[in-house]
Amino acid sequence: QELTFLSKREILLAYKKFSELLPKEDRENARTRRVPKSHILTLPELRANPFQHRICHVFSTSEAGDDSMSFEDFLDMLSVFSDSATSDIKSHYAFRIFDFDNDGTLDRKDLEQLVNCLTGQGEESRLNSMEMEQLIQNILEESDIDKDGTINLSEFQHVVSRSPDFASSFKIVL
C-alpha cells in the first residue's frame, strides 16, 4: 500500500481481478504468476482503450518481451491510473505510452501513431495526409518549446499541466 496510490481495499480488489485472469490451477499462487497480455486485454477497463497494447508494453517487466504482467506490474498500472496518482506520475507514463518507438521523444512518427489511435483505424475516420500534417504541425507549434522537431518529457509535461482535464481522464477504475 505504501508503494502505490491505492487503498488496501483497492489492492485486494486488484488481486481478485488479477487472479481471475489466471487458469484455476494457478490462482493459489497468483502473486508469483504472470498473466499473458491477451488475458489482460480482456479487462473491460482496457478493452476499449485505443492504447491497450502500449499500456501493457509500458507496465510489463517481462524479460521475454511478451508484455505479460506480474501482480506487481498490474498494481503499478492500476496505481498510475488511479485518482490518487499525481499529475506528474500520470504525465510521465502517458508520455511513455505515446512514445511508440521508445526513444525518449515524441517525433512526427509517434504523433502520427497517436492521432491514428485516437481517430480509429477505419478509412472513414482516418485523416488524409494533408490533415495529418497540419495537425502534427499544430501540435509541434504548441508543444515543441525548443523547436527541435520533437516533444521531450518536460515539454509534454508543460502542455499537460495546462490541461485541467488530463489527470481526471487518465484513469482506470476497478
Side-chain angles (χ1 to χ4, degrees):
Q1 190 177 339
E2 289 175 19
L3 299 175
T4 71
F5 294 101
L6 301 171
S7 67
K8 183 177 180 180
R9 189 188 69 73
E10 289 169 319
I11 292 170
L12 292 171
L13 183 59
Y15 186 76
K16 181 179 183 300
K17 272 224 189 232
F18 183 81
S19 59
E20 287 169 356
L21 295 171
L22 289 164
K24 281 188 176 39
E25 63 273 9
D26 289 341
R27 290 184 184 165
E28 294 271 317
N29 306 316
R31 280 192 340 271
T32 61
R33 297 286 189 243
R34 296 190 74 81
V35 171
K37 175 181 167 181
S38 58
H39 293 199
I40 300 284
L41 295 179
T42 64
L43 290 169
E45 297 84 1
L46 283 179
R47 204 178 306 141
N49 191 310
F51 300 101
Q52 56 179 288
H53 295 284
R54 286 293 305 160
I55 291 169
C56 286
H57 181 75
V58 165
F59 287 97
S60 171
T61 57
S62 170
E63 291 177 15
D66 60 5
D67 295 344
S68 63
M69 285 192 187
S70 65
F71 180 60
E72 280 187 26
D73 296 341
F74 190 68
L75 267 189
D76 285 344
M77 175 184 75
L78 295 177
S79 178
V80 167
F81 282 101
S82 79
D83 275 333
S84 310
T86 66
S87 209
D88 261 4
I89 295 278
K90 287 179 178 288
S91 60
H92 172 81
Y93 279 93
F95 182 84
R96 288 189 55 204
I97 290 165
F98 300 158
D99 182 13
F100 290 89
D101 57 11
N102 300 312
D103 69 352
T105 64
L106 303 184
D107 58 19
R108 287 178 171 278
K109 215 173 180 65
D110 291 319
L111 295 174
E112 188 171 329
Q113 279 187 271
L114 173 60
V115 171
N116 283 335
C117 280
L118 292 172
T119 58
Q121 300 303 313
E123 283 302 310
E124 69 285 341
S125 60
R126 183 165 276 183
L127 300 181
N128 68 40
S129 57
M130 255 178 54
E131 293 168 327
M132 179 68 78
E133 184 51 41
Q134 185 59 58
L135 182 56
I136 289 173
Q137 198 52 48
N138 292 351
I139 292 170
L140 288 171
E141 280 174 23
E142 184 74 23
S143 314
D144 182 17
I145 297 165
D146 63 10
K147 302 297 177 213
D148 67 351
T150 64
I151 301 167
N152 62 35
L153 177 59
S154 61
E155 290 169 332
F156 181 79
Q157 288 180 316
H158 176 72
V159 169
V160 166
S161 71
R162 298 187 329 219
S163 170
D165 298 345
F166 172 75
S168 60
S169 61
F170 195 78
K171 71 178 180 183
I172 292 176
V173 180
L174 283 180

